[in-house]
Amino acid sequence: MGLVDVSRLPKHVAIIMDGNGRWAQARGKPRTLGHERGADAVRATMRAARRLGIPALTLYAFSEQNWDRPEAEVNALVDLLCECLVSERNELVDNEIRLSAIGRLHKLPERAQSKLSALSSETESFTGMTLTLALSYGGREELVDAARALARRVRDAEIEPSDIDEAAIELELPSMDVGPVDLLVRTGGEQRISNFLLWSSAYAEFYFTDELWPDFDASSLYRALEEYQARERRFGLVPGTKTKPAVNESSDELERAI
Ligand code: IPE
Ligand code: IPE
Ligand code: MG
């Protein structure tokens, strides 16, 4: 981590963990082995982020669109999630990591939902880092759900249409609980967002790597952070400008960035 400046870390790192299937296929193994090795990369990345002091890490573990994969692969992913929610419990507790989850969680099988809510409750007071798992998650779906919630509030005369501003929308977006994404990493060589955090990535720095997710480790994270710290974030401004920060953007973030 030699070149990472721990005084200028992103507050929120989000990762599209891609390339598990290709990792396995390159070895002549079933795709599910890639997912299993991917879980090891999750542990390594989570530890490294926690040690550095990154406040929030969001991992894209299963998209809404991934439900349409072959049933055997979907079942294997759900089983792996359930295993990890048991095997990683001590890791989370010992490191005071708060577990959170976003997505249409009600679509997960009951056994996954119950393990997820039990571990989330057990860790809810921890402040070391917030680890958010995006499960059955889609950025468009999250925006649709927010629009429906706001429409209901207008219908019930709780708010006027003119009350719907950025702050009101953000209150309906669970992904914004940990603030906007500063650094968005995608492994696996593709350069696309694949319906991940559409709103909260509005001003994220993107970092793409050809490395496949099971190969990602602490040094991969440090490389991403070094590149992030070499970027100049302008938020639509010109360098040196001081202005009112964007919604949910702390002024110290803006000053650091410019
Ligand atoms: C990412 O790896 C994990 C999930 C989407 C669940 P993939 O399974 O997409 O792996 P590739 O992209 O096919 O190699
Ligand atoms: C994005 O990867 C979803 C996750 C990493 C969970 P995909 O492999 O599903 O995305 P596409 O198909 O390459 O866009
Ligand atoms: Mg993929």
Side-chain angles (χ1 to χ4, degrees), residues 16-18 60-63 66 69 186 190 192 194:
I16 301 174
M17 310 184 292
D18 197 24
Y60 203 6
F62 192 83
S63 77
N66 289 152
R69 290 189 178 197
R186 182 170 186 145
E190 315 294 354
R192 54 180 174 245
S194 298

Side-chain angles (χ1 to χ4, degrees), residues 1 7 16 34-35 43 52 62 88-89 92-93 108 111 119 129 135 159 172 177-178 195 225 238 247-248 251:
M1 62 177 266
S7 71
I16 301 174
H35 297 314
R43 191 179 311 108
L52 279 168
F62 192 83
E88 301 312 308
R89 182 240 169 226
L92 297 188
V93 171
L108 293 169
R111 65 202 161 92
L119 196 50
M129 180 173 85
L135 292 163
I159 55 170
E172 300 295 343
D177 284 356
V178 287
N195 202 19
L225 292 168
V238 295
V247 181
N248 272 339
S251 53

Side-chain angles (χ1 to χ4, degrees), residues 150-171:
L150 288 166
R152 279 193 294 271
R153 296 188 61 205
V154 171
R155 181 200 61 196
D156 296 344
E158 290 174 27
I159 55 170
E160 293 290 328
S162 58
D163 293 327
I164 299 175
D165 55 10
E166 287 186 26
I169 292 172
E170 291 191 353
L171 283 174

Side-chain angles (χ1 to χ4, degrees), residues 34-53:
H35 297 314
E36 284 168 30
R37 294 300 166 83
D40 297 334
V42 167
R43 191 179 311 108
T45 305
M46 177 175 87
R47 276 188 191 160
R50 171 68 179 96
R51 289 214 177 110
L52 279 168

